[in-house]
Amino acid sequence: MKFNLDDYLSSSDSEEIVTFDSSSDKESLVEHKIENEEDKNEEDYKLDPTVESQIAKLIHETDKLPYSMNELSPLTINRVEIMNHKQTPLASTYFTNDDNKSTNNDTKIINLLSELLSTKLQIISKDNNKQIEFIREEKRRTEEERLRKLERAKQEKLKREAEARRKAEAEAKAKEEARLKAEKLSKEQAAKLAQEEAARTKKELLAKQKKEASAKYITNFDNIEKTFWHYKQRIQTIKDEIVLPIKNAKKPIKSPIMTQKRKINPKFGQLTHSWKQLQLIENELIVLINQTREHSDIAYQWILNFVAKAIVHQSESEISVKPENSLPLARLTTFLLNQYPELSDFLISRFVKKCPFVIGFTCSIDTEQGRNNMGWKRNSEQIWETDTTYDERMNGMITLYSVITRLNEVKLPNEIDNKIWNINAGWTFVARMANLPINLLTNTHFVILGSWWDASALQFLQTYGNQGRKLLEIIANDMTMSVSDKRFVGAARLRILMEEWQDTGIIKSFPEMNP
């Protein structure tokens, strides 16, 4: 016979409906039933293996769930009973030994266990819902707090911006009040202030212009000295890098260059006042110089250096004796400078070495070094040349240089080179002579100023007009008067040239060349 749990729970024999308020109540009920059935055979109440397996599985699963007996349904069976069903047979309570009804009993047990599991799941679901609601509430409170903070920050920002606007408006108002106050000044006061400001500005401008003009005409002798030593060093470089390598070169290299030198040298002595002769010599020199250019670059530079030396030497030896011969040589020189721009550096370096007056350089000649710097020569016995010889040589070189500059025909790519060879160089030369300290002035300075006057004063006056006239008067009158106690012959001649010009209004110049 199989015991039905539902029938038992609804039996009229019971004095009251039994509910499992606790684990102990259920265990007492089971013990009571077992005592009444203890005489029955245990073999009659063994579970079907399949059912037993399912019960064990369900019990194992329930072990994993949260367990609260107070929340279970009154129909839930005691888990301990089921776990111990082998030691304490459950047949007296739930089963019968009727084989035909075993399947039905198994099903009921499974249903009860399923109900247990369902109840557990409901409890879990309820707990989960509570946790979810709690989390949502926390998130809501957090979000509300964040929004409150944002709102406070926004309000503070608006407050700061309003304060900044208030300050800006206050400043603008103050400026406007100041402007209105300034506008209240009378027109007379405003006009007076404007006049005073204009007068002050004009005064400052005039002072600045005067200072600039003064600086423009003040000779910077330090810069002149730097220029002088630059060209002296250039001569040494030419000697080291061009002259000595050719001098020490083997015959196959040196011989063609020396041949060109011997052909070029006589050409400068063949010059006359004839244009036809000048053009013939120009063409011959171009051929000879170009031949060395085709030979090698160093040969070309060596020849240009030789040409520069030949021009300066010709002015020393012949033009000093006959100054009017400077015109054909000057025209040949300007032609060569235009044909060979590289010649400019060689030629001005040679001029400065032999006659530093061309750049306005002057130093004391009280020492041997001073005389060397100013281009003085010694004879074979190491005795210095006489003052007259020195003056004649300087006269020849200044004459040639002055004619080259007054021709104003040199047109070189380098603007600096152009300034060396045009009429502006004449102004620079005369102005620097005029600005020399009196203690450095010698007879030579007045000799070369007289030579410059003969060579280019006419063209100088035509170029510079009234300003040129003033400069001529300074060198011929003021300078000569400053050294009148020294009775320089060159100063006396320069005054004669000025007096002739003032008496006749004419400045003589060298005769032009013949066709």
Side-chain angles (χ1 to χ4, degrees):
M1 176 180 176
K2 189 172 182 179
F3 183 78
N4 190 313
L5 181 61
D6 293 335
D7 292 342
Y8 176 81
L9 295 173
S10 61
S11 174
S12 59
D13 294 336
S14 302
E15 294 181 359
E16 57 182 357
I17 296 174
V18 179
T19 60
F20 303 136
D21 294 332
S22 65
S23 178
S24 61
D25 292 337
K26 289 187 286 183
E27 290 176 359
S28 299
L29 177 60
V30 173
E31 289 174 358
H32 175 72
K33 293 298 181 180
I34 290 174
E35 289 175 358
N36 293 334
E37 298 294 337
E38 60 185 358
D39 57 336
K40 293 185 180 181
N41 191 347
E42 289 183 358
E43 295 296 329
D44 293 337
Y45 308 107
K46 288 184 178 180
L47 293 175
D48 181 85
T50 302
V51 175
E52 186 177 4
S53 175
Q54 292 176 347
I55 291 172
K57 183 177 181 181
L58 288 172
I59 292 172
H60 176 71
E61 292 297 327
T62 59
D63 288 339
K64 301 177 181 180
L65 302 175
Y67 190 77
S68 176
M69 288 301 297
N70 293 329
E71 297 180 1
L72 293 178
S73 169
L75 300 177
T76 304
I77 66 172
N78 189 300
R79 184 160 61 95
V80 177
E81 291 181 83
I82 297 173
M83 292 174 63
N84 300 321
H85 69 277
K86 287 186 179 182
Q87 289 76 19
T88 307
L90 303 178
S92 60
T93 308
Y94 305 109
F95 308 106
T96 67
N97 58 359
D98 189 344
D99 292 336
N100 294 329
K101 296 181 180 181
S102 61
T103 300
N104 186 45
N105 291 333
D106 294 343
T107 300
K108 288 184 177 183
I109 293 172
I110 293 171
N111 289 338
L112 287 172
L113 293 174
S114 297
E115 182 182 353
L116 172 63
L117 180 61
S118 176
T119 302
K120 289 287 187 180
L121 292 175
Q122 289 176 5
I123 294 170
I124 292 171
S125 177
K126 184 177 179 182
D127 289 342
N128 286 343
N129 290 337
K130 289 181 179 179
Q131 290 294 327
I132 290 170
E133 185 63 25
F134 176 78
I135 292 171
R136 286 177 178 172
E137 182 65 19
E138 285 296 314
K139 289 180 67 177
R140 184 185 63 79
R141 286 197 299 270
T142 302
E143 180 64 15
E144 288 178 353
E145 182 64 23
R146 186 183 69 83
L147 292 176
R148 282 194 296 271
K149 289 182 178 179
L150 288 176
E151 183 63 22
R152 285 196 299 270
K154 182 178 179 181
Q155 294 299 325
E156 290 176 358
K157 181 180 179 181
L158 292 174
K159 185 178 179 180
R160 289 194 299 271
E161 290 176 350
E163 182 65 19
R165 284 194 301 271
R166 187 188 65 77
K167 289 183 179 180
E169 290 172 357
E171 290 177 358
K173 183 178 179 181
K175 288 181 180 179
E176 181 64 16
E177 291 175 353
R179 186 184 66 81
L180 294 174
K181 185 177 180 181
E183 288 179 353
K184 290 181 180 179
L185 293 174
S186 66
K187 293 182 179 180
E188 293 180 359
Q189 289 177 324
K192 184 178 179 180
L193 291 174
Q195 291 175 357
E196 291 176 354
E197 181 65 22
R200 184 167 53 255
T201 302
K202 184 177 180 180
K203 184 177 179 180
E204 291 175 353
L205 180 61
L206 291 174
K208 182 179 179 182
Q209 291 176 345
K210 185 177 180 180
K211 183 178 180 180
E212 291 176 350
S214 177
K216 182 177 179 181
Y217 296 106
I218 293 176
T219 300
N220 189 328
F221 289 102
D222 289 338
N223 286 343
I224 296 174
E225 186 174 358
K226 289 178 182 178
T227 303
F228 169 76
W229 288 111
H230 164 75
Y231 287 120
K232 291 282 282 187
Q233 181 59 44
R234 179 59 181 150
I235 290 294
Q236 186 61 45
T237 302
I238 293 170
K239 180 179 179 181
D240 295 339
E241 298 180 0
I242 299 174
V243 177
L244 289 179
I246 294 299
K247 181 179 180 181
N248 299 328
K250 295 182 180 180
K251 189 174 181 180
I253 298 175
K254 183 178 179 180
S255 180
I257 300 174
M258 295 300 107
T259 299
Q260 298 302 96
K261 171 189 172 182
R262 288 190 293 271
K263 292 179 180 180
I264 290 173
N265 193 39
K267 301 302 177 184
F268 296 99
Q270 297 170 4
L271 288 170
T272 65
H273 277 261
S274 169
W275 274 101
K276 185 176 180 180
Q277 178 68 6
L278 174 62
Q279 292 172 353
L280 178 64
I281 293 174
E282 289 174 350
N283 293 332
E284 291 176 349
L285 286 176
I286 286 177
V287 173
L288 293 171
I289 294 172
N290 287 345
Q291 286 175 350
T292 60
R293 194 174 197 173
E294 296 171 358
H295 184 69
S296 66
D297 182 64
I298 191 171
Y300 170 64
Q301 293 186 60
W302 192 95
I303 283 296
L304 289 182
N305 180 57
F306 171 73
V307 169
K309 290 176 67 175
I311 291 171
V312 174
H313 177 72
Q314 191 73 6
S315 67
E316 279 186 286
S317 59
E318 295 191 14
I319 295 176
S320 60
V321 178
K322 199 171 184 181
E324 58 268 22
N325 287 343
S326 61
L327 187 57
L329 181 58
R331 291 195 178 277
L332 175 61
T333 302
T334 59
F335 172 79
L336 293 175
L337 285 169
N338 287 324
Q339 290 294 317
Y340 307 103
E342 301 92 336
L343 177 62
S344 175
D345 183 57
F346 292 102
L347 185 57
I348 190 61
S349 298
R350 289 293 166 188
F351 264 121
V352 172
K353 177 187 177 182
K354 291 292 188 76
C355 180
F357 296 104
V358 296
I359 61 170
F361 177 80
T362 295
C363 69
S364 173
I365 57 174
D366 293 339
T367 62
E368 289 193 0
Q369 182 62 48
R371 284 184 174 246
N372 280 324
N373 290 341
M374 294 307 299
W376 284 73
K377 288 184 177 181
R378 294 178 187 269
N379 58 21
S380 58
E381 298 177 355
Q382 294 299 306
I383 298 175
W384 292 111
E385 63 183 326
T386 63
D387 292 348
T388 301
T389 303
Y390 176 77
D391 290 347
E392 287 177 355
R393 289 194 305 106
M394 298 301 112
N395 169 57
M397 288 183 281
I398 286 295
T399 298
L400 176 62
Y401 180 72
S402 300
V403 174
I404 294 173
T405 59
R406 65 96 157 168
L407 289 176
N408 217 30
E409 294 178 354
V410 178
K411 307 296 179 185
L412 299 179
N414 191 327
E415 186 62 27
I416 296 177
D417 287 339
N418 283 332
K419 290 180 180 180
I420 294 173
W421 305 110
N422 63 27
I423 193 68
N424 293 329
W427 178 282
T428 301
F429 164 74
V430 176
R432 288 177 176 178
M433 292 294 105
N435 287 329
L436 282 172
I438 295 177
N439 64 304
L440 289 179
L441 292 176
T442 64
N443 184 64
T444 307
H445 290 89
F446 294 96
V447 169
I448 62 176
L449 282 172
S451 300
W452 171 84
W453 188 294
D454 292 335
S456 62
L458 175 61
Q459 292 75 17
F460 181 84
L461 191 60
Q462 292 170 348
T463 301
Y464 292 105
N466 191 48
Q467 294 299 320
R469 178 185 298 274
K470 292 179 180 178
L471 188 54
L472 291 179
E473 290 175 350
I474 288 174
I475 63 172
N477 185 46
D478 297 354
M479 281 187 67
T480 56
M481 288 296 294
S482 67
V483 294
S484 59
D485 58 322
K486 297 182 180 180
R487 300 184 181 279
F488 291 142
V489 176
R493 181 175 183 273
L494 187 57
R495 288 193 65 85
I496 292 172
L497 291 173
M498 180 192 67
E499 290 169 359
E500 288 179 354
W501 166 47
Q502 291 176 338
D503 291 342
T504 63
I506 298 173
I507 295 180
K508 295 180 181 180
S509 184
F510 298 144
E512 290 297 324
M513 295 177 62
N514 300 321

